[in-house]
């Protein structure tokens, strides 16, 4: 199942000193998306503002004539803002001196209509003539008022942040009547309305997060016809064409299955067409192809008995709907449509007493079934109900019908292009229905009505979702474009004012009604079939979406609602990087937007929109100089940008097709692109003399048996790639030849050129090698089966570059992570798995990041959990047995509500920071030591030097560690080792050149050249070579004795490994500290 989002809603120019520059397909917005001042004010700030108004009455009084022109008939919002600031506004308003203020009215229940056209950015004015003022104090001079200049001056002094210009703009918004003065009531009223509108806008644009697509274990053998939820018993009912009724608990466990029968014999040639719940009377109604509707009692024990059977219908009912009045449960309406185009309804008036009249013979046996005829209902024999019907559809099958109480009308639809949708209602004192019809080209499959928005949404066969005003039949008020196949179902997400639509190509879309744009796209993993029956049901109370595919039932459940928090992007964030040159954080999202943030404050400074059109940006990378940004997208291209928004090159990875790019690796002479292909895509920098760059062939051919997901590079020439089946292939980047394959459970030989032909695909497109060699077969057949579930998938690879001596001393120099939450440490020299541990149990695939000093490891999982581990002393030496004990866990936290998509560790100003981004649209930052989690884009900017600190460490220990580092910089070597290392290290500063003369040579890993300290006589020539007075000769230090010199030769540092000496030194230091503490305690006694 794939998730995609719609194009960015905000594609127009942003306010600023300069208009945005469009270059290379992206829009550069400088200093965009700055929040308004009224949205940044916190609770403490508003209390300061209140105190400023209270103090103002002592130094200034309201001038005569400065009256409040607030309209007493202004509509009030129906719901209160949930923010803490709104609550504080109410509390402080109650304590103010003005007892008759408009804010006081907000303490009572809302009594007005919807908020329309009120306070639109200071441009609308309130009428003042002929209207009574809400606030008319007995003495106007005692009112607390401020002029524009006073407000600007006092607010900047009192609040302590914000400019005079910003407070002046806020004053203009509050003073809509342009009186030149505002008071406390005007300010609080404006803030309440602003918060309400902000909450409404935020609620409408929230994109729900979904759990994994799940198929429920049904027992239906034929097509599922209906899915309903019983509120009274908190159970779900499903019914299939063959008449099997499934009863599900609220936990979606199948409790029982019952056959529904119309007679004493079971169904053989009859089909069930529809099912509705009569909740007010605890019954269900089932329609059959025998032109019958049967009513079953849910309260009886055992099987559901049939209480009423309605026969004699003129056509087969194929759709039904039931409504009852929640204020008077006796009033209800059962509406149904048939294959002859008739729309009929039964209106019950005493439903709680009896649905129909029972004959006298039936009173003795209350459980006996009562058979009714449609003619009896038409004749008026049953006094407890009456019928309504019309035939405006003229023989077309009625696909959906419902009675809506808000419109007091019956709505029905067909697939015809004439009289496609009909609204029928009955005026008072008239028996016949009055009707109006909507004509939709090619007809519609379904519809839904939103009472608050007063909109009808239709699922068009012409691939359109139309929004209609029930009273305007000429044309729709909105058309939602985006489906590539006919739409077969629509349903409103009423509380959020959003709309679901489902098309025949099995694509689900969620629409923002206000902007009429798609905000989410989900491709459902149903089997490929052109002919299928689909039932669509959204249980809004539980956040569950049911979609049936013939006899299969799928569930798409919403994740628990995320708490209110700041969002860095409008859409899910996919990647985050840190630019150490500019000290900026770069982030990308699925809406093809790239944003730039100041790491010191968390403020957004610019963003590029539409970098790849509407395609998702899946990964990013920086070049070696950090002056170019590379973005990889699902449209199959990689683009090279500068930081002003100009696109220099476009790399054609997918060969004009869409591909999933998972990583971009920028090397000295090549750019490697990986992502859901078995081959490495390579671009050589020598070809970067044109805009469109085509890939070249990788010389090492295909060595992976499954899709490559990630890669890592260790200078000068070691390249590793990890694939979905858990294999890690080691390459020589200079020759582009592979020389080893690593896997947690087996080893295998490399493929020859004859083996690199494409293999057949199996199991959802995963590849599988054929004909293993005899030595491979000895390892076990299970070892070579591709991991189709991705339990061993390698998602991230990182080299431990700071460990420079692993080739001699052994130990891990490569870390991998991915499927099943495991982290593994490898020795690439000995081709050995040294350690593996479970970092995140039960969380599925994980990602990771390691700091440059290789001291800390950060891991993140699909639930938003972040863990930080200390790996400084982990797997430093080789061992025969695999280590399974995890390293020291320093910190565990959950900064995100959804899966962590990218991690970055950086050290600006000496502070080690962890930056994470997530599908919850946020980018968070914290440190190793337990600092607060900061969100990029939050209202209040932070200062990293004030909030993030390094761990406090013992001064003596730090001093000893500094001495250790100095010892590590100049290792003790023999003459043979010194001469060998110096020859190898002389090549370190030069990148490995791709010279064909030396390609066949086996080049060892090079080491850094230790810094050689110059002798003292070279550093200070004057001191040693200039003539000096004789009296200074006595100050020259004496030479060391021969015994001391000989003793230094046999120093124990030359005899024992450094690790043993370090442990002994630390033990001595700890012993000294302990003994000193004991002495101090004794002295005190």
């Amino acid at each position: 199942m794939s998730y995609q989002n719609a194009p960015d809603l905000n594609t127009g120019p942003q306010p600023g000193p300069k208009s945005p520059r469009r270059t290379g397909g992206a829009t550069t917005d400088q200093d965009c998306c700055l929040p308004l001042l009224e949205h940044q004010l916190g609770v403490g700030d508003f209390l300061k503002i209140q105190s400023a108004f209270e103090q103002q009455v002592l130094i200034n009084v309201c001038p005569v004539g400065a009256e409040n022109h607030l309209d007493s008939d202004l509509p009030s919002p129906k719901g209160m803002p949930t923010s803490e600031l709104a609550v504080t506004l109410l509390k402080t308003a109650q304590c103010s001196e003005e007892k008759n203020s408009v804010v006081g009215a907000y303490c009572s229940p809302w009594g007005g209509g919807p908020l329309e056209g009120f306070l639109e950015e200071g441009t609308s004015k309130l009428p003042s003539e002929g209207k009574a003022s809400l606030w008319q104090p007995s003495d106007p001079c005692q009112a607390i008022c401020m002029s524009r200049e006073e407000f600007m001056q006092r607010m900047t002094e009192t609040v302590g942040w914000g400019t005079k210009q910003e407070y002046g703009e806020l004053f203009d918004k509050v003073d809509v009547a342009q009186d030149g003065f505002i008071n406390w009531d005007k300010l609080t009223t404006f803030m309440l309305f602003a918060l309400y509108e902000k909450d409404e806008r935020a609620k409408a644009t929230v994109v729900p997060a979904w759990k994994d697509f799940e198929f429920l274990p049904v027992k239906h053998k034929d097509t599922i016809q209906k899915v309903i939820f019983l509120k009274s018993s908190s159970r779900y009912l499903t019914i299939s064409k063959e008449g099997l009724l499934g009863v599900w608990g609220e936990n979606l466990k199948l409790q029982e299955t019952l056959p529904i029968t119309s007679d004493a014999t079971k169904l053989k040639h009859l089909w069930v067409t529809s099912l509705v719940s009569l909740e007010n009377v605890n019954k269900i109604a089932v329609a059959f192809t025998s032109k019958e509707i049967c009513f079953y009692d849910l309260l009886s024990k055992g099987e559901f008995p049939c209480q009423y059977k309605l026969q004699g219908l003129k056509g087969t009912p194929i759709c039904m709907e039931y409504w009852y009045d929640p204020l008077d449960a006796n009033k209800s309406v059962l509406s149904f449509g048939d294959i002859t185009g008739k729309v009929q309804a039964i209106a019950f008036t005493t439903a709680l007493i009896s649905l129909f009249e029972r004959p006298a013979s039936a009173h003795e046996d209350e459980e006996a079934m009562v058979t009714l005829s449609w003619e009896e209902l038409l004749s008026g024999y049953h006094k407890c109900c009456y019928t309504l019907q019309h035939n405006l559809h003229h023989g077309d099958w009625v696909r959906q019908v419902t009675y809506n109480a808000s419109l007091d009308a019956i709505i029905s639809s067909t697939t015809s292009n004439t009289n496609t949708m009909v609204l029928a209602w009955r005026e008072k004192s008239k028996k016949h229905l009055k009707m109006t019809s909507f004509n939709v080209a090619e007809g519609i499959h379904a519809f839904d009505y939103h009472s608050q928005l007063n909109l009808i949404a239709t699922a068009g066969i012409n691939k359109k979702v139309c929004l209609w005003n029930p009273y305007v039949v000429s044309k729709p008020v909105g058309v939602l474009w985006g489906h590539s196949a006919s739409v077969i179902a629509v349903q409103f997400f009423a509380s959020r004012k959003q709309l679901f639509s489902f098309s025949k190509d099995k694509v689900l879309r969620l629409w923002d009604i206000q902007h009429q744009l798609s905000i989410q796209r989900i491709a459902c993993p149903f089997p490929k079939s052109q002919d299928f029956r689909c039932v669509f049901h959204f249980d809004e109370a539980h956040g569950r979406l049911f979609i049936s595919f013939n006899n299969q039932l799928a569930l798409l459940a919403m994740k628990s609602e995320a708490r209110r928090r700041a969002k860095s992007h409008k859409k899910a964030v996919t990647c985050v990087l840190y630019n150490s040159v500019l000290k900026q954080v770069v982030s990308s999202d699925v809406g093809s937007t790239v944003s730039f943030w100041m790491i010191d404050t968390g403020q957004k400074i610019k963003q590029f929109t539409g970098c790849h059109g509407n395609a998702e940006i899946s990964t990013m990378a920086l070049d070696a100089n950090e002056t170019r940004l590379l973005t990889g997208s699902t449209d199959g291209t990689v683009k090279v940008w500068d930081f002003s928004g100009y696109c220099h090159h476009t790399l054609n990875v997918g060969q004009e097709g869409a591909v999933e790019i998972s990583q971009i690796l920028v090397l000295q002479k090549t750019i490697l692109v990986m992502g859901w292909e078995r081959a490495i895509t390579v671009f050589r920098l020598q070809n970067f003399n044109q805009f469109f760059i085509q890939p070249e062939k990788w010389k090492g051919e295909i060595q992976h048996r499954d899709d490559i997901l990630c890669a890592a590079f260790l200078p000068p020439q070691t390249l590793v790639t990890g694939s979905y089946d858990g294999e890690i292939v080691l390459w020589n980047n200079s020759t582009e030849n592979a020389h080893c394959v690593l896997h947690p459970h087996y080893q295998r030989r490399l493929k020859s050129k004859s083996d690199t032909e494409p293999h057949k695909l199996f199991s959802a497109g995963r590849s599988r090698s054929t004909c293993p060699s005899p030595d491979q077969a000895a390892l076990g057949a299970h070892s070579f089966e591709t991991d189709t579930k991705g339990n061993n998938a390698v998602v991230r690879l990182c080299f431990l570059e700071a460990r420079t001596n692993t080739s001699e001393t052994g130990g891990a120099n490569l870390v991998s992570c991915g499927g099943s939450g495991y982290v593994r440490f490898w020795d690439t020299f000995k081709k050995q798995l040294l350690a593996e541990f479970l970092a995140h149990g039960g969380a599925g695939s994980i990602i990771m990041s390691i700091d440059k000093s290789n001291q800390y490891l950060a891991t993140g999982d699909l639930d938003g959990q972040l863990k930080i581990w200390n790996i400084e002393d982990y797997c430093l030496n080789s061992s025969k047995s695999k280590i399974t004990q995890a390293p020291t866990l320093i910190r565990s936290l959950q900064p995100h509500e959804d899966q962590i998509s990218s991690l970055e560790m950086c050290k600006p100003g000496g502070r080690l920071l962890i930056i994470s981004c997530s599908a919850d649209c946020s980018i968070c930052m914290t440190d190793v030591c337990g600092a607060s989690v900061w969100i990029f884009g939050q209202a209040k900017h932070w200062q990293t030097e004030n909030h993030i600190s390094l761990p406090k460490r013992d001064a003596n220990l730090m001093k000893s560690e500094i001495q250790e580092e100095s010892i590590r910089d100049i290792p003790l070597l023999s003459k043979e080792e010194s001469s060998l290392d110096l020859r190898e290290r002389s090549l370190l500063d030069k990148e490995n050149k791709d010279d064909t003369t030396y390609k066949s040579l086996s080049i060892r890993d090079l080491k850094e050249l230790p810094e050689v300290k110059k002798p003292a006589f070279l550093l200070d020539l004057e001191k040693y070579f200039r003539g000096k007075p004789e009296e200074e000769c006595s100050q020259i230090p004496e030479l060391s004795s021969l015994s001391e010199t000989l003793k230094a030769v046999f120093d124990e540092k030359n005899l024992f490994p450094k690790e043993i000496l370090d442990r002994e030194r630390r033990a001595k230091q700890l012993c000294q500290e302990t003994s000193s503490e004991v002495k101090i305690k004794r002295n005190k006694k």
Side-chain angles (χ1 to χ4, degrees):
M1 179 177 59
S2 62
Y3 295 79
Q4 295 181 7
N5 290 75
D8 194 354
L9 301 181
N10 186 14
T11 57
Q14 299 293 332
K18 296 181 181 180
S19 61
R21 174 189 177 189
R22 293 184 178 270
T23 53
T27 302
T28 305
D29 299 333
Q30 300 283 352
D31 299 327
C32 62
C33 302
L34 295 178
L36 298 175
L37 179 64
E38 55 266 28
H39 295 162
Q40 299 184 67
L41 291 173
V43 177
D45 299 329
F46 215 84
L47 292 176
K48 294 178 182 179
I49 295 175
Q50 183 196 14
S51 64
F53 272 94
E54 293 175 350
Q55 296 173 6
Q56 181 70 11
V57 73
L58 302 177
I59 59 176
N60 188 24
V61 294
C62 179
V64 178
E67 298 178 356
N68 192 344
H69 291 279
L70 285 175
D71 187 0
S72 61
D73 297 329
L74 283 177
S76 302
K78 293 182 179 179
M80 286 294 295
T82 57
S83 63
E84 186 181 359
L85 178 57
V87 178
T88 305
L89 286 174
L90 294 178
K91 293 181 179 180
T92 54
Q94 290 176 345
C95 300
S96 63
E97 297 181 357
E98 291 73 39
K99 302 297 182 181
N100 299 325
S101 68
V102 67
V103 181
Y106 294 150
C107 300
S108 60
W110 300 100
L115 182 65
E116 297 178 356
F118 180 68
L119 294 179
E120 297 182 357
E121 297 298 330
T123 58
S124 59
K125 298 181 181 180
L126 297 178
S128 58
E129 297 180 0
K131 303 257 180 124
S133 175
L134 282 179
W135 180 69
Q136 292 180 346
S138 56
D139 188 358
C141 293
Q142 296 301 321
I144 306 175
C145 297
M146 286 188 188
S147 65
R148 194 176 191 275
E149 294 297 329
E150 291 173 338
F151 183 78
M152 293 164 54
Q153 182 66 28
R154 293 298 303 276
M155 292 305 105
T156 52
E157 296 175 355
T158 304
V159 179
W161 62 274
T163 63
K164 288 186 177 181
Q165 180 182 358
E166 290 176 327
Y167 285 105
E169 293 174 356
L170 177 60
F171 182 94
D172 295 336
K173 295 176 184 178
V174 177
D175 187 21
V176 292
Q178 297 183 354
D179 296 328
F181 296 91
I182 65 170
N183 58 19
W184 173 248
D185 289 336
K186 281 188 178 183
L187 183 60
T188 52
T189 301
F190 170 79
M191 292 298 297
L192 280 172
F193 276 99
L195 286 171
Y196 172 76
E197 290 180 336
K198 181 182 177 183
D199 283 0
E200 287 296 308
R201 288 194 300 268
K203 188 187 300 182
T205 56
V206 170
V207 179
W210 303 95
K211 298 180 181 179
D212 292 337
F213 209 83
E214 178 184 0
F215 285 93
L216 300 180
V218 298
K219 293 186 178 181
H220 298 291
K221 298 180 180 179
D222 212 333
T223 305
I224 297 175
Q225 300 287 61
K226 200 69 176 288
V227 179
I228 61 174
F229 177 68
L230 303 177
K231 296 180 181 178
S232 58
S233 58
S234 297
R235 291 187 295 178
Y236 294 92
L237 298 181
T238 58
I239 196 166
S240 54
K241 186 188 292 186
E242 80 272 17
L244 188 64
L245 182 70
V247 183
W248 305 75
E250 192 173 11
N251 57 356
L252 296 179
K253 300 295 183 182
L254 184 60
Q255 296 178 345
E256 59 179 334
T257 55
L258 301 171
I260 296 294
T261 59
S262 61
D263 292 318
T265 59
K266 293 185 178 181
L267 286 170
K268 292 183 179 179
H269 303 289
L270 296 180
W271 286 350
V272 172
T273 59
S274 187
L275 166 72
V276 292
S277 169
L278 286 65
E279 288 217 42
N280 58 329
V281 293
N282 294 302
K283 293 178 175 57
I284 58 172
V286 182
F288 297 92
T289 54
S290 59
K291 303 178 183 179
E292 298 174 343
I293 298 178
C294 297
F295 298 83
Y296 298 88
D297 186 14
L298 296 177
L299 297 180
S300 62
K301 298 180 180 179
E303 296 185 357
F304 300 146
C306 180
Q307 287 188 335
Y308 302 99
K309 180 193 291 186
L310 178 60
Q311 296 178 332
L313 299 174
K314 301 302 180 182
T316 300
I318 56 175
C319 59
M320 292 193 301
E321 197 61 60
Y322 184 78
W323 169 89
Y324 72 93
D325 189 351
L327 301 178
D328 185 3
N330 280 308
K331 299 179 181 180
S332 58
V333 176
L334 174 66
S335 55
F336 54 94
D338 60 26
I339 61 175
T340 66
K342 283 188 178 181
V343 175
Q344 301 162 99
I346 305 174
F348 301 99
T349 56
T350 58
L352 295 180
I353 300 174
S354 179
L355 292 178
F356 305 101
E357 300 287 345
R358 297 181 65 89
S361 59
H363 288 288
E364 298 177 359
D365 187 5
E366 294 185 356
E367 296 183 358
M369 181 182 65
V370 177
T371 302
L372 312 169
S373 68
W374 181 248
E375 295 295 333
E376 291 179 8
L377 297 181
L378 292 178
S379 65
Y381 171 78
H382 295 271
K383 304 300 181 182
C384 52
C385 64
Y386 60 91
T387 60
L388 300 168
Q389 62 180 348
H390 74 79
N391 192 23
L392 194 59
H393 291 297
H394 303 301
D396 296 316
W397 286 27
V398 181
R399 300 294 179 174
Q400 186 178 351
V401 64
T402 185
Y403 169 77
N404 187 270
S406 301
L407 298 174
D408 193 18
I410 300 172
I411 311 175
S412 57
S413 67
T414 68
T415 54
S416 174
N417 56 3
T418 58
N419 296 330
T420 309
M421 184 170 60
V422 175
L423 269 70
W425 67 96
R426 189 177 74 166
E427 296 181 346
K428 293 182 179 180
S429 70
K430 292 185 180 181
K431 295 184 179 180
H432 298 288
L433 294 175
K434 192 173 181 179
M435 293 168 286
T436 181
S437 63
F438 299 75
N439 297 328
V440 183
E442 301 182 33
I444 62 175
H445 280 123
F447 65 87
D448 195 20
Y449 176 73
H450 196 296
S451 58
Q452 295 181 356
L453 298 176
N454 194 31
L455 288 177
I456 299 176
T458 57
I461 300 177
N462 57 1
K463 309 175 186 178
K464 301 176 186 177
V465 177
C466 296
L467 303 175
W468 302 83
N469 186 318
Y471 306 108
V472 181
V473 300
S474 58
K475 62 179 181 179
V477 296
V479 179
L480 308 179
W481 300 81
H483 283 288
S484 56
S486 61
V487 187
I488 57 179
V490 289
Q491 187 171 347
F492 278 103
F493 195 159
S495 61
R496 295 189 179 183
K497 298 178 182 178
Q498 296 172 346
L499 177 69
F500 288 104
S501 63
F502 188 71
S503 58
K504 204 163 187 177
D505 57 356
K506 309 163 190 78
V507 172
L508 174 69
R509 284 187 179 271
L510 181 63
W511 304 85
D512 177 11
I513 300 302
Q514 180 181 2
H515 298 91
Q516 297 185 13
L517 287 176
S518 174
I519 59 177
Q520 193 172 41
R521 178 187 182 275
I522 302 175
C524 301
F526 287 121
K528 293 183 179 180
S529 176
Q530 296 296 329
D531 185 18
F532 65 93
R533 159 80 173 172
C534 171
V535 174
F536 190 91
H537 175 73
F538 178 56
D539 180 13
E540 186 170 341
H542 295 83
R544 292 169 176 171
L545 179 62
F546 298 90
I547 305 175
S548 72
F549 184 88
N550 293 332
N551 66 331
Q552 297 180 341
L553 183 61
L555 169 67
L556 196 59
M558 291 177 57
K559 293 183 178 180
S560 57
E561 188 69 25
R563 62 179 182 271
R564 292 182 176 270
R565 50 180 289 164
K567 289 189 176 182
S568 310
H569 282 250
K570 293 182 179 179
K571 297 170 185 175
V573 189
T574 56
C575 187
V576 64
L577 299 173
Y578 174 67
N579 189 314
S580 59
V581 176
L582 302 177
K583 293 186 178 180
Q584 296 176 5
V585 174
V586 188
S587 59
S588 63
D589 63 18
V590 298
S592 201
T593 298
V594 177
S595 299
F596 298 82
W597 313 82
M598 294 297 297
I599 194 169
D600 294 332
T601 61
Q603 180 184 6
K604 183 191 290 187
I605 54 176
K606 62 182 175 181
Q607 70 179 18
F608 305 155
T609 59
C611 295
H612 290 261
N614 297 329
E616 170 187 343
I617 297 177
S618 55
T619 186
M620 297 189 299
L622 293 170
D623 68 343
N625 298 325
E626 300 187 8
T627 58
R628 292 289 186 268
L629 175 68
L630 290 83
T631 58
S633 172
T634 54
D635 62 1
T637 63
V638 172
K639 294 186 177 183
V640 183
W641 309 81
D642 60 22
F643 286 91
S644 61
Y646 181 77
C647 181
H648 292 267
H649 304 283
T650 297
L651 313 185
N652 188 10
V653 180
Q655 301 293 321
E656 307 301 334
V659 295
E660 188 79 16
I661 299 175
S662 58
Q663 187 176 352
I664 304 170
L665 197 61
V666 183
L667 304 180
Q668 184 186 13
K669 292 187 177 182
T670 57
I671 295 177
L672 307 181
V673 181
M674 279 66 62
W676 298 103
E677 290 290 340
R678 294 192 298 141
I680 299 175
T681 305
V682 58
F683 296 87
R684 308 192 190 282
L685 298 185
Q686 61 189 13
N687 300 327
F688 275 54
N689 52 4
Q690 51 190 352
F691 184 77
F692 290 102
I693 313 296
Q694 299 299 328
E696 294 191 7
K697 185 178 181 181
W698 179 257
K699 299 176 184 177
E701 302 293 341
I702 297 176
Q703 295 294 342
H704 281 280
R705 302 184 302 180
D706 214 327
D707 296 336
I708 302 175
L709 305 183
C710 60
F713 180 74
L714 178 66
Q717 78 279 339
T718 305
L719 173 71
V720 292
T721 53
S723 59
Y724 187 83
D725 58 2
E727 289 188 347
I728 300 174
V729 177
L730 278 67
W731 309 76
N732 186 314
N733 186 59
S734 300
T735 62
E736 297 183 1
N737 291 326
H739 57 83
C740 181
V741 177
L742 304 177
H743 192 277
H745 305 309
Y746 63 82
Q747 295 180 358
R748 71 173 176 89
R749 67 177 179 86
L750 290 170
K751 301 175 185 177
S752 62
K753 290 188 177 181
S754 60
D755 296 332
T756 57
E757 298 298 327
H759 298 294
K760 294 181 180 180
L761 300 181
F762 86 107
S763 182
R766 297 282 163 213
S767 59
R768 181 180 181 179
S769 66
T770 58
C771 301
S773 60
D775 58 334
Q776 292 174 341
L779 295 175
H782 66 279
S783 301
F784 288 92
E785 292 191 3
T786 303
D787 183 13
T788 57
K789 295 183 180 179
N791 293 329
N792 295 315
V794 182
V795 180
R796 293 288 190 278
L797 286 167
C798 293
F799 273 110
L800 301 175
E801 297 187 38
R803 300 186 179 184
T804 58
N805 297 326
T806 53
S807 59
E808 287 83 14
T809 62
N813 66 335
L814 177 67
V815 185
S816 67
C817 74
S820 301
Y822 276 89
V823 176
R824 295 181 171 93
F825 284 71
W826 305 83
D827 183 353
T828 60
F829 297 102
K830 296 183 179 180
K831 302 173 181 58
Q832 179 185 1
L833 175 63
L834 297 182
E836 68 175 3
F837 67 92
L838 183 61
H840 298 259
S845 180
I846 64 173
I847 62 173
M848 69 177 179
S849 180
I850 299 176
D851 68 315
K852 290 185 178 181
S853 63
N854 301 159
Q855 184 178 1
Y856 298 105
L857 165 71
T859 57
D861 61 21
L862 299 178
D863 296 327
Q865 191 81 11
L866 175 65
K867 294 184 179 181
I868 304 171
W869 313 80
N870 188 340
I871 60 171
E872 184 179 14
D873 299 324
Y874 192 72
C875 286
L876 291 178
N877 302 309
S878 297
S879 60
K880 294 183 180 179
S881 60
K882 182 174 62 178
I883 300 174
T884 57
Q885 183 179 359
T888 304
L889 179 62
I890 299 177
R891 190 181 181 193
S892 178
L893 66 157
Q894 186 168 1
H896 298 283
E897 303 288 345
D898 206 337
Q899 71 175 50
I900 297 177
S901 53
S902 181
L903 286 171
E904 182 82 353
M905 299 183 77
C906 57
K907 205 169 186 179
R911 299 181 300 274
L912 182 61
L913 306 177
I914 298 98
I915 306 171
S916 60
C917 67
S918 168
D920 65 1
C921 307
S922 67
I923 307 168
C924 297
M925 184 177 72
T926 185
D927 71 346
V928 179
C929 317
S932 302
V933 176
W934 302 94
I935 303 177
F936 286 87
Q938 66 184 35
K940 279 196 173 182
H941 303 151
W942 66 76
Q943 295 294 332
T944 53
E945 60 271 14
N946 296 336
H947 300 286
I948 300 179
S949 59
L950 293 174
K952 296 180 180 179
R953 309 180 70 177
D954 184 75
N956 296 328
L957 184 57
M958 291 179 65
K959 184 177 180 180
S960 62
E961 289 181 354
I962 294 174
Q963 294 175 354
E964 288 180 28
E965 292 296 330
S966 63
I967 295 174
R968 293 174 188 173
D969 289 341
I970 309 178
L972 298 175
L973 303 173
S974 63
K975 291 183 179 181
E976 293 79 10
E977 291 173 333
S978 299
S979 59
L980 177 62
D981 287 345
L982 288 175
R983 286 196 300 269
E984 293 180 351
R985 292 170 187 173
S986 62
L987 302 175
L988 182 64
D989 295 334
K990 300 179 181 180
E991 291 292 332
N992 186 30
K993 298 183 179 181
D994 190 9
D995 192 344
T996 56
T997 307
Y998 302 102
K999 279 189 175 180
S1000 60
L1001 295 180
S1002 177
I1003 304 174
R1004 297 179 57 188
D1005 286 343
L1006 304 182
K1007 300 181 178 180
E1008 294 183 0
L1009 182 65
E1011 181 181 357
V1012 180
K1013 296 183 178 180
K1014 294 182 179 181
F1017 65 86
L1018 291 179
L1019 298 176
D1020 193 353
L1021 299 176
E1022 295 288 338
K1023 179 178 179 182
Y1024 290 92
F1025 296 100
R1026 187 176 181 180
K1028 298 181 181 180
E1030 296 180 357
E1031 57 272 11
E1032 293 182 0
C1033 295
S1034 59
Q1035 298 179 1
I1036 299 177
E1038 297 181 358
L1039 296 176
S1040 301
S1041 62
L1042 180 61
S1043 59
E1044 292 178 355
T1045 305
L1046 293 176
K1047 186 177 181 180
V1049 175
F1050 298 98
D1051 189 5
E1052 62 180 0
K1053 292 183 180 180
N1054 292 330
L1055 300 177
F1056 297 98
K1058 180 178 176 301
E1059 289 77 5
I1060 298 177
L1061 298 177
D1062 292 343
R1063 293 178 182 176
E1064 183 180 1
R1065 178 187 55 76
R1066 291 175 183 172
K1068 289 180 180 180
Q1069 182 179 353
L1070 180 61
C1071 181
Q1072 293 175 359
E1073 293 175 355
T1074 305
S1075 60
S1076 60
E1077 291 177 359
V1078 172
K1079 291 179 180 180
I1080 293 173
K1081 292 181 180 180
R1082 290 177 179 176
N1083 295 333
K1084 289 182 179 180
K1085 292 180 179 181

